[in-house]
Amino acid sequence: MKWQNVWWQHLLVLSVMTVLFVLLFYVDNKYQTPPPYGNSGVIALNEGDLEREDPIFLIDGWLLSDEYVTEKPVYIGEFSNLQRGNLSVSPHGRAHYQLTLRYDGASRIVSLDFPQLSCDYTISMDGRKLAEGTGNGQITFLLARGDHVLRVDTRSGIGYYSGMYFPPALGTGQTLSQVDRTRSFVYALAVFFPLVLAVFTFFLWQTGGEISRLFGLLCCCFSIYMSRYFVFQFSMPLGRYWFLIQSLALYGVCFCVIRLAVQASGVGGRTARWWQGAVLLWLPIVLFILSLLIPLLPWAVFVHGRLTDLYYTLTFCTTAFFALHGVKGRDPESRFTTAGCLVFGVGLLVNLFFSNLFEPIRFFWQFEWCGLLLVFLFGAMMVSRNRRIIRENDMLTNHLEEQVKKRTEEVVWLLDERKAFFSDMAHDLKAPVFATQSYIRAIRERGVGVDGELLGYLEQAEARQRELARRLQGLSAINELDKVEGMRVRIPVKELFSEIYAAHHGEAEVQSVHLFVTQPERDMFLLAQPEKLDILFENLIYNALRATPENGSIRISAQCRGEKIHIIVEDTGCGIPEEELPFVFQRFYVGKSNRDTGTGLGLYIVQSIVEEIGGTIHVQSMVGQGTKFVMEFPV
């Protein structure tokens, strides 16, 4: 049912396009305007003809003279170049178009517009030259009663078109100005609106994938293609060579449409890649080379025209093939893509079927309407895509928040359970451990029945008992550390150093050890829990006091290096053997010199607190020369 709904949506789009093209053909078509019509080199005009809303389009009745014909009756648009089907002659050269304006009415000022004269031109009236140049031509003159001979001379050497291919418009200055204003406005929208969408899409190129990049490139190419109106309107220097730029832009549009159709359909395989290569790469290259050869090879323009028609037909067939496969796709963007590709393909075919039968007065060609509709469709697709992504991100964010909250509650519960377990275990084991120690001491002191072998066993039991007591003491220390809760606060280093000195200089003096605290030049701040910082420095200073002899010293200093705070605690004590340095931060590790007094948890707790704050700690030591602990914290 969902697949059938997509079909109905596409049929609705095609129906709307059909109605639009029918209306355009009868309402905005130069070839469907009412009389007067020219005949045999003369067009008869009266005042009523000049007073209507639409201009008079001088299509019929022209007499063409060039190197091969003299005063041949033609209508403008009948031949795209001077070759006129004879492949042995050049499509370029000089041509003269002549039409007599037979006016029966009061004298009045009128204007004549000559659109898209891509060759050099000279416009004369009654033998008097009124305009010359390249691009759009316009003349204004006094139309008096009687006959007036209008002559247009063209000179061309490059391009697909030569001579006069687009019918000129005759009317009052007000009538032609209204038409020009309308065309300028709609073409400005057609140029700038895709550019705005392209700029918007560029922000998505990194995250939006190939579809976003193709859509941005499509908008740029279509905008370049539509800017041809202004190139000819303002007679820009590029006008003579604009046919090459326009062709490349159109090839770029076709490339993007086919690639978008492929992306939406999901069709892959070697055949699909080969077909894309033929349509996307090889045919455009051949067409571009033929464009450059037109001035040299007379038949090149004919072959180029037929291959261009083939290229458009293959583009339509390719987009239709992938679009039909894409209709069944579940991707939300596939509907927009397939509908847009079908619209573009239909526009190409309509342009072929209505060749020399349709030319717009105020608005766009059928193909340009389809291109603009294509841009709107893909613009709607990008809006829909972004809304969907935002909605999915919101859902994902809400889901993640719920999951994080749930996991946080579980972790907090586990930590609370761990704290309670360690506290209970340390409390429950303390009594039997110390009771065992008392029994061993009593047996040793009484000496009843104690021989050498039993004495050895007692010594081993005492060693195990002391180790167990040490571990219990360590568990108590960890449990006390876990009880420290609360938010991290901003702690000034200068204030921290003052508190450290006040808390420990008395103990240092009792042991005849000098405690030096060097304040940093400028204050710095740590983000931490004050209680844990007290435990950190307490462990480091107690270790240093045990290792430092009388008249030794302990120094604490800090300095800022970039975005890091370096805090150094160093002493002049006995030092740590080199083989023990890699293990000093391990839990329950005790060096040889501290086996009877250490718990093996002091430096482990220090490292845990440092890493919790986001820092690192390193140790440097040599036996007999002292030990240095270097801690690095983020500012």
Side-chain angles (χ1 to χ4, degrees):
M1 183 62 68
K2 186 176 180 180
W3 180 74
Q4 293 177 346
N5 290 336
V6 175
W7 268 109
W8 279 111
Q9 292 171 6
H10 290 176
L11 288 175
L12 178 61
V13 172
L14 294 178
S15 301
V16 171
M17 290 176 57
T18 303
V19 173
L20 173 65
F21 290 154
V22 171
L23 289 175
L24 289 173
F25 185 82
Y26 290 104
V27 175
D28 192 48
N29 187 0
K30 292 180 181 180
Y31 293 105
Q32 292 294 320
T33 54
Y37 304 128
N39 187 28
S40 301
V42 179
I43 182 171
L45 306 169
N46 57 47
E47 288 187 68
D49 297 328
L50 299 175
E51 291 175 353
R52 64 192 192 189
E53 293 183 359
D54 289 336
I56 301 167
F57 293 100
L58 307 181
I59 301 173
D60 305 291
W62 291 83
L63 300 177
L64 169 64
S65 299
D66 60 18
E67 186 177 350
Y68 304 100
V69 297
T70 302
E71 295 188 350
K72 174 182 174 61
V74 296
Y75 69 86
I76 303 304
E78 181 177 1
F79 303 111
S80 60
N81 56 64
L82 301 180
Q83 200 171 51
R84 297 186 299 279
N86 186 357
L87 302 185
S88 62
V89 302
S90 173
H92 299 115
R94 294 177 176 268
H96 314 286
Y97 297 83
Q98 182 173 307
L99 181 65
T100 299
L101 307 180
R102 183 165 293 166
Y103 179 59
D104 182 15
S107 300
R108 60 193 308 167
I109 301 295
V110 295
S111 296
L112 255 173
D113 272 348
F114 296 83
Q116 298 187 42
L117 287 170
S118 55
C119 54
D120 296 331
Y121 64 83
T122 301
I123 303 172
S124 304
M125 181 68 73
D126 296 331
R128 185 165 61 94
K129 183 170 68 174
L130 298 180
E132 64 180 353
T134 302
N136 283 17
Q138 186 180 71
I139 61 172
T140 301
F141 59 95
L142 176 65
L143 183 62
R145 187 185 301 273
D147 290 354
H148 303 273
V149 179
L150 173 65
R151 179 184 174 97
V152 180
D153 298 321
T154 63
R155 301 170 299 281
S156 61
I158 59 174
Y160 312 134
Y161 305 113
S162 56
M164 189 164 50
Y165 183 56
F166 299 98
L170 172 67
T172 63
Q174 181 180 1
T175 301
L176 294 182
S177 294
Q178 289 177 349
V179 173
D180 287 342
R181 281 196 298 269
T182 303
R183 287 179 65 80
S184 297
F185 177 74
V186 297
Y187 271 91
L189 289 180
V191 171
F192 290 110
F193 178 73
L195 284 180
V196 171
L197 289 178
V199 172
F200 166 73
T201 308
F202 285 152
F203 292 104
L204 304 176
W205 277 30
Q206 298 298 324
T207 58
E210 187 175 2
I211 288 182
S212 296
R213 292 189 288 272
L214 288 172
F215 175 64
L217 182 60
L218 169 69
C219 290
C220 291
C221 291
F222 183 75
S223 181
I224 293 173
Y225 178 81
M226 295 299 286
S227 61
R228 63 177 177 79
Y229 172 78
F230 298 102
V231 172
F232 292 109
Q233 181 73 16
F234 299 107
S235 300
M236 294 182 180
L238 289 175
R240 191 185 305 273
Y241 305 98
W242 190 254
F243 71 100
L244 292 174
I245 300 174
Q246 184 174 309
S247 297
L248 290 175
L250 186 56
Y251 300 154
V253 171
C254 294
F255 170 85
C256 294
V257 170
I258 293 176
R259 286 297 303 158
L260 285 168
V262 173
Q263 287 289 320
S265 68
V267 177
R270 182 179 301 177
T271 303
R273 288 193 297 270
W274 179 88
W275 187 255
Q276 291 179 63
V279 179
L280 298 179
L281 183 62
W282 299 115
L283 267 177
I285 290 176
V286 172
L287 289 172
F288 187 75
I289 293 174
L290 285 173
S291 301
L292 300 177
L293 294 177
I294 288 175
L296 304 176
L297 304 174
W299 50 266
V301 67
F302 174 80
V303 175
H304 180 275
R306 302 292 80 78
L307 280 181
T308 300
D309 294 343
L310 175 64
Y311 175 63
Y312 292 159
T313 304
L314 289 177
T315 299
F316 170 74
C317 294
T318 304
T319 54
F321 170 78
F322 289 112
L324 290 175
H325 283 77
V327 168
K328 302 178 182 180
R330 297 181 179 180
D331 187 358
E333 282 78 40
S334 64
R335 300 183 183 183
F336 291 99
T337 307
T338 52
C341 294
L342 285 176
V343 166
F344 181 79
V346 170
L348 292 175
L349 290 186
V350 169
N351 231 38
L352 295 178
F353 291 140
F354 285 90
S355 179
N356 294 338
L357 297 176
F358 177 84
E359 184 177 334
I361 299 174
R362 290 179 173 83
F363 300 105
F364 310 116
W365 297 79
Q366 297 102 325
F367 167 70
E368 293 172 345
W369 276 108
C370 291
L372 195 60
L373 181 59
L374 179 69
V375 171
F376 275 107
L377 279 171
F378 281 113
M381 182 194 75
M382 297 305 298
V383 172
S384 173
R385 176 188 179 88
N386 289 335
R387 290 179 61 185
R388 179 174 58 83
I389 291 174
I390 291 173
R391 187 170 58 252
E392 291 176 353
N393 286 342
D394 288 341
M395 293 177 60
L396 181 60
T397 301
N398 293 334
H399 179 70
L400 285 176
E401 288 178 352
E402 293 176 359
Q403 291 295 316
V404 169
K405 183 178 180 181
K406 181 179 178 181
R407 297 301 180 214
T408 302
E409 291 175 352
E410 293 177 355
V411 170
V412 170
W413 180 82
L414 287 175
L415 289 175
D416 291 340
E417 287 293 311
R418 191 194 74 168
K419 293 177 185 178
F421 171 75
F422 282 148
S423 178
D424 294 343
M425 183 180 67
H427 181 271
D428 293 342
L429 290 178
K430 193 177 297 183
V433 165
F434 285 108
T436 305
Q437 185 179 14
S438 299
Y439 293 146
I440 294 174
R441 187 181 301 112
I443 294 173
R444 180 189 292 277
E445 290 176 356
R446 293 180 182 180
V448 179
V450 177
D451 55 12
E453 182 178 0
L454 181 57
L455 187 60
Y457 291 146
L458 288 176
E459 290 177 353
Q460 293 182 18
E462 271 190 312
R464 297 292 184 271
Q465 189 275 338
R466 286 195 299 270
E467 176 68 17
L468 184 57
R470 187 172 65 84
R471 296 294 181 99
L472 284 176
Q473 187 178 355
L475 287 177
S476 299
I478 293 176
N479 190 56
E480 291 299 320
L481 182 65
D482 284 342
K483 290 180 180 180
V484 178
E485 297 178 348
M487 298 292 293
R488 296 185 184 183
V489 296
R490 207 158 164 261
I491 302 173
V493 173
K494 287 186 176 182
E495 181 180 330
L496 174 66
F497 277 15
S498 297
E499 293 177 357
I500 292 173
Y501 182 79
H504 299 286
H505 81 281
E507 300 173 61
E509 288 181 358
V510 169
Q511 298 186 35
S512 300
V513 175
H514 303 288
L515 177 63
F516 299 100
V517 175
T518 305
Q519 294 283 10
E521 295 181 0
R522 63 183 181 89
D523 209 353
M524 300 167 287
F525 298 87
L526 295 175
L527 192 64
Q529 295 167 300
E531 297 86 350
K532 289 191 176 181
L533 283 182
D534 292 341
I535 295 173
L536 184 154
F537 285 100
E538 182 179 279
N539 276 280
L540 288 177
I541 293 174
Y542 282 169
N543 285 350
L545 287 174
R546 284 198 299 268
T548 304
E550 293 184 1
N551 297 321
S553 64
I554 301 173
R555 297 181 181 273
I556 302 176
S557 60
Q559 53 186 308
C560 186
R561 298 178 183 174
E563 295 297 320
K564 299 291 185 180
I565 298 174
H566 291 255
I567 296 180
I568 301 171
V569 178
E570 55 184 328
D571 61 57
T572 58
C574 60
I576 303 172
E578 183 178 357
E579 64 273 12
E580 294 183 5
L581 287 176
F583 311 104
V584 294
F585 295 112
Q586 289 185 4
R587 183 172 51 190
F588 296 123
Y589 177 79
V590 179
K592 294 180 180 179
S593 60
N594 294 326
R595 290 199 182 277
D596 295 330
T597 59
T599 62
L601 284 173
L603 292 180
Y604 167 75
I605 291 174
V606 167
Q607 185 185 48
S608 299
I609 296 174
V610 170
E611 292 178 349
E612 182 180 328
I613 300 174
T616 58
I617 183 170
H618 306 283
V619 59
Q620 303 170 11
S621 183
M622 292 186 65
V623 175
Q625 297 186 19
T627 303
K628 178 194 287 187
F629 289 93
V630 181
M631 294 170 284
E632 184 180 277
F633 300 99
V635 176

